[in-house]
Amino acid sequence: SAGEILISPDGTTLYAGTNTQIKKINIATGAVSVLAGSGSTGTADGTGLNASFNIPKFLAWDNNGNILAAQNNLQVRQVTLAGVVTTLAAFSSAPSLSPHSNTIVQTRDGNYVGMVSVPVVRLSTPDGSSVAVSGTGTIADGLNRAGVLSSARGSVTTPDGKVYISDVGGGGSIRVGTLYPSLLNPGTQSTLDGTRLAFSSANLAQLGAFAND
């Protein structure tokens, strides 16, 4: 079964994760080939068919043009376009991890963000240290960790360093929040609509928090 699909920046190639492989599809010809993955479930790093995956369905680009694959077994894998697979330390020290069920993206300052402990979105440094950037409890809009998600469905980055996170709230409402760069260096937080740390279904606002667990 297929997961998310990525398109290459030049528009020539699609990349898709299956249960055990990441495949590439030439858009012009329709030719399908294996970028990486042995076809058997596993956790081995390596190149091409020597690597193995555990449901790498949720794909995103990192800052250097590599693929980030969030796996069902909690790992985050980096895959180069030459098929070299490496397991990242991202989120390795996070408490109460849940299987990745949405994309993990890289922020402009080199950190990683995604829902790795349902329903909490966390931000991780490359060494695996992480902080929660949303709260727990009843679904709610609000500043900092007063903002509570239901089930984040996707994350995308923008050229100016923001991370947009979509969430399906109670009653099927769609909510969108924004995580701004350098979140681990908070400074003074503004309460203005355009710059505050918040998650809201009413407008595009900033989602985040700085409390360590």
Side-chain angles (χ1 to χ4, degrees):
S1 59
E4 293 187 356
I5 294 176
L6 287 182
I7 187 169
S8 62
D10 63 5
T12 64
T13 308
L14 295 175
Y15 297 90
T18 70
N19 286 341
T20 58
Q21 295 178 316
I22 294 178
K23 296 187 177 182
K24 56 187 297 186
I25 303 99
N26 184 299
I27 294 175
T29 66
V32 179
S33 59
V34 176
L35 175 65
S38 64
S40 298
T41 300
T43 59
D45 290 344
T47 301
L49 299 179
N50 292 318
S52 56
F53 294 98
N54 186 338
I55 313 182
K57 288 188 175 183
F58 301 95
L59 309 181
W61 295 111
D62 73 6
N63 295 343
N64 297 310
N66 303 308
I67 295 171
L68 292 177
Q71 295 195 154
N72 192 56
N73 71 336
L74 312 180
Q75 291 180 322
V76 180
R77 315 293 293 280
Q78 179 192 73
V79 186
T80 73
L81 298 189
V84 180
V85 180
T86 304
T87 301
L88 301 181
F91 303 106
S92 59
S93 66
S96 304
L97 283 173
S98 305
H100 295 312
S101 58
N102 73 310
T103 48
I104 302 297
V105 296
Q106 188 173 34
T107 63
R108 186 173 60 184
D109 53 9
N111 296 312
Y112 300 91
V113 64
M115 180 177 280
V116 297
S117 183
V118 176
V120 178
V121 172
R122 299 187 69 88
L123 184 141
S124 174
T125 56
D127 67 2
S129 301
S130 67
V131 293
V133 294
S134 66
T136 59
T138 304
I139 298 170
D141 298 342
L143 299 174
N144 307 318
R145 290 181 68 179
V148 180
L149 293 84
S150 172
S151 177
R153 297 302 175 92
S155 306
V156 295
T157 56
T158 61
D160 60 357
K162 299 182 183 69
V163 177
Y164 287 102
I165 299 171
S166 65
D167 179 51
V168 177
S173 62
I174 297 175
R175 310 158 75 223
V176 179
T178 312
L179 182 75
Y180 280 60
S182 300
L183 192 63
L184 296 180
N185 301 299
T188 300
Q189 297 180 24
S190 170
T191 57
L192 299 175
D193 281 348
T195 58
R196 69 186 182 184
L197 299 178
F199 192 85
S200 174
S201 57
N203 55 23
L204 296 182
Q206 189 175 358
L207 165 68
F210 307 103
N212 286 289
D213 292 324

